[in-house]
Amino acid sequence: LFVLFLSLIISSGLVARAEEGTLVPTTDTKITSDVGLLPTNPFYFIRKVGWGIKRIFTFNPTKRADLELKIIEQKASELKKLSEMNQSQESLTKATQSYADNLTRLKTRLESLNETSENSNVDKLLDKVVDQSLKHAELFDELRIKHEALRIRLEGVESQLDDVVAEVPKHLTDKEKFLEKFDEAVQRRREVSPTPPSF
C-alpha cells in the first residue's frame, strides 16, 4: 500500500506539469529494452495506475495524443524486452494485445484533434507519429521472424499501425507534406537501420 501511495504522489506531481510547455520532437532512434517494470511483474499495476492518472489530468487534445504516443513507445519497449528474455507465448500475446489497445486509444485521440499542422505542436506530434510508426513496424518485422506462432496476431497489430499513420494526412494543411514527413522519417531510420521495415 505504501508503494502504491508513493507512486500516486509521484504520478500526481508529474501530471501537475502535464499541461505546461510545448511538445518536443523525439530524438530517439531505437526502441530501448531498458524499461524497468515489465507486465510480468506483480507490481506492474503501479505503472498502469500512473498512466491512468496522467490521462485524467491531461486536458489538451494534442497533449493527450502525445501521452498515448509515449505509452505506446513504452509498450513497444516492453514487447522488445519480453522477446529478448524469451518469455512465454502467453506473456507476449498479452503484451501485444496491450499495445494494440493503446493503438486504438491513440487513433481515437488523433481523430478528435480539431487543429492542423499549422499549430506547431500538432506538427511535431504528427512527426513523432510517423517516426514511431516506422520504428515499431521494424520491431514487428523482427518479432514475426522470431515468433512464428504470433505471426497472425502481429500482422493484425501492424494493420492497426497503418490505420494510425493514415490519420496523419488528415491533419496536414498541405497533403504533399505527408510524403515529405514520411521520406524524412524513412531517411532517419536508414541512418540507424540499413534494412527498412516492411510498412
Side-chain angles (χ1 to χ4, degrees):
L1 287 176
F2 173 75
V3 173
L4 175 59
F5 180 70
L6 184 61
S7 71
L8 291 175
I9 292 174
I10 293 171
S11 298
S12 298
L14 292 173
V15 298
R17 296 189 297 274
E19 294 294 304
E20 297 176 6
T22 58
L23 303 181
V24 293
T26 182
T27 55
D28 295 334
T29 55
K30 293 183 178 179
I31 297 174
T32 179
S33 58
D34 182 17
V35 295
L37 289 178
L38 288 168
T40 51
N41 189 303
F43 292 103
Y44 184 76
F45 73 93
I46 295 173
R47 173 168 281 169
K48 294 172 72 174
V49 168
W51 285 332
I53 293 172
K54 288 182 183 180
R55 284 189 178 110
I56 291 170
F57 290 99
T58 302
F59 305 106
N60 180 287
T62 305
K63 290 179 181 175
R64 293 183 85 176
D66 189 60
L67 174 60
E68 294 302 336
L69 200 56
K70 289 175 182 173
I71 294 173
I72 284 174
E73 182 71 3
Q74 178 69 40
K75 297 289 185 180
S77 296
E78 292 168 1
L79 264 171
K80 181 178 176 68
K81 184 65 175 180
L82 289 170
S83 177
E84 290 173 352
M85 294 171 63
N86 293 315
Q87 288 290 313
S88 68
Q89 182 176 329
E90 181 183 359
S91 296
L92 285 165
T93 299
K94 286 181 179 178
T96 302
Q97 184 58 51
S98 181
Y99 177 96
D101 292 343
N102 282 277
L103 267 184
T104 301
R105 281 196 182 98
L106 174 60
K107 186 172 183 289
T108 301
R109 298 295 184 218
L110 291 174
E111 288 172 341
S112 67
L113 284 179
N114 293 321
E115 295 187 86
T116 66
S117 57
E118 287 182 350
N119 179 319
S120 62
N121 280 336
V122 173
D123 194 49
K124 290 171 186 173
L125 171 68
L126 299 177
D127 279 340
K128 290 165 73 174
V129 169
V130 174
D131 275 337
Q132 284 198 18
S133 296
L134 286 169
K135 283 198 301 181
H136 295 186
E138 187 175 326
L139 171 65
F140 281 107
D141 283 347
E142 296 171 3
L143 292 175
R144 279 204 319 274
I145 293 169
K146 187 173 180 180
H147 305 284
E148 180 64 31
L150 293 175
R151 173 176 287 273
I152 294 176
R153 182 177 293 271
L154 292 169
E155 287 175 351
V157 175
E158 282 188 289
S159 178
Q160 282 184 259
L161 194 56
D162 291 344
D163 292 340
V164 168
V165 176
E167 286 298 313
V168 172
K170 298 177 184 177
H171 300 285
L172 294 173
T173 51
D174 179 2
K175 302 304 179 185
E176 291 183 5
K177 195 173 181 183
F178 173 70
L179 295 178
E180 293 177 15
K181 286 183 181 294
F182 194 81
D183 287 342
E184 289 170 4
V186 169
Q187 186 58 42
R188 284 193 292 271
R189 292 304 305 143
R190 282 179 177 158
E191 290 174 2
V192 295
S193 175
T195 305
S198 58
F199 197 71

